[in-house]
Amino acid sequence: MLMMLIAYSGLACTGPRDGTAVGNPGNAGLIGQSEDGSRVHWDRATVRAKAAAAETEEGVLGGFLGEDLNLLRPSGAFIELQRGRYEGVFLYIDALEMRGETDSGVPVILEVEPSRLCVEGDFRVLEDDALLLLMPLDRIVDVDAVDEAGLERVYVGPDSSEGIQLAMDLETLPELWRDMDRDGYVGPGDRLIQTNRAR
């Protein structure tokens, strides 16, 4: 019933410290968004974040979080990434919880436990950069399949086969964006700089 297409955003790491970085570091933030015409309205979307890391040629650098993050509003600039080249970013989490309702009035509750969410692949952080990891909320539930099945409620728990599969699929489906206007949202003019999906 679920389209396993979720991309997440949320980091807590520092960039390379090789003595060559100058100027202001870049900042990364977090947002979950739906596109116009989305068929699910989300009332709650949170992750319990443990730690995060950024991978560089020199190795993996990171830090601890230990907090719940709300995906439905911009997180603000809560981490710094030094200017330079990166090979991946990873957020380690305990749980993801989402609650909403389809346009036909079917309640949707997702309670899953991915071990991490990540973007892998080369990207660069510029001086005074503003980056966002986007979770496209409109890609989570196949509403047509829900309606065709006549379901009155969609619940996916962490120990169910659907929940285990969803948690696995979540791990490699983020998108990393450059927030050109620094408003904390992905919109016109912002630029996709890395995704795990084939383009």
Side-chain angles (χ1 to χ4, degrees):
M1 300 298 174
L2 298 176
M3 296 174 62
M4 307 307 183
L5 297 175
I6 297 181
Y8 169 79
S9 58
L11 303 176
C13 51
T14 57
R17 299 179 183 223
D18 57 8
T20 61
V22 296
N24 297 321
N27 289 305
L30 154 68
I31 192 65
Q33 285 182 231
S34 298
E35 296 180 2
D36 291 342
S38 176
R39 299 188 60 195
V40 181
H41 172 74
W42 297 105
D43 300 310
R44 177 180 174 84
T46 61
V47 293
R48 188 172 306 126
K50 296 189 296 186
E55 184 176 341
T56 72
E57 290 181 337
E58 289 80 25
V60 177
L61 304 170
F64 293 100
L65 275 177
E67 61 182 298
D68 289 344
L69 303 175
N70 184 349
L71 303 181
L72 298 181
R73 64 171 184 256
S75 66
F78 64 94
I79 61 113
E80 292 184 351
L81 294 166
Q82 297 296 329
R83 186 179 69 179
R85 180 175 168 270
Y86 291 79
E87 298 175 352
V89 289
F90 307 85
L91 179 75
Y92 298 92
I93 66 176
D94 283 327
L96 167 68
E97 180 182 354
M98 301 188 67
R99 295 174 182 266
E101 186 175 275
T102 71
D103 57 0
S104 56
V106 178
V108 178
I109 301 172
L110 309 178
E111 297 174 347
V112 295
E113 298 177 350
S115 61
R116 69 177 189 175
L117 302 163
C118 65
V119 167
E120 296 183 276
D122 290 347
F123 66 94
R124 295 195 66 84
V125 173
L126 310 178
E127 183 177 332
D128 199 28
D129 216 350
L131 304 180
L132 291 172
L133 279 174
L134 172 70
M135 181 177 193
L137 303 177
D138 54 317
R139 297 181 183 175
I140 299 171
V141 177
D142 184 342
V143 177
D144 287 334
V146 171
D147 289 345
E148 287 174 10
L151 299 179
E152 296 182 355
R153 180 174 180 263
V154 175
Y155 172 73
V156 178
D159 297 325
S160 67
S161 59
E162 294 87 356
I164 292 169
Q165 184 63 54
L166 176 57
M168 292 173 59
D169 291 339
L170 281 174
E171 294 188 3
T172 56
L173 292 170
E175 296 175 353
L176 185 64
W177 288 74
R178 180 160 285 123
D179 187 10
M180 303 300 290
D181 58 5
R182 300 173 177 273
D183 66 351
Y185 295 93
V186 170
D190 295 334
R191 189 155 64 95
L192 177 66
I193 60 175
Q194 191 53 262
T195 178
N196 294 311
R197 287 176 285 169
R199 292 193 244 178

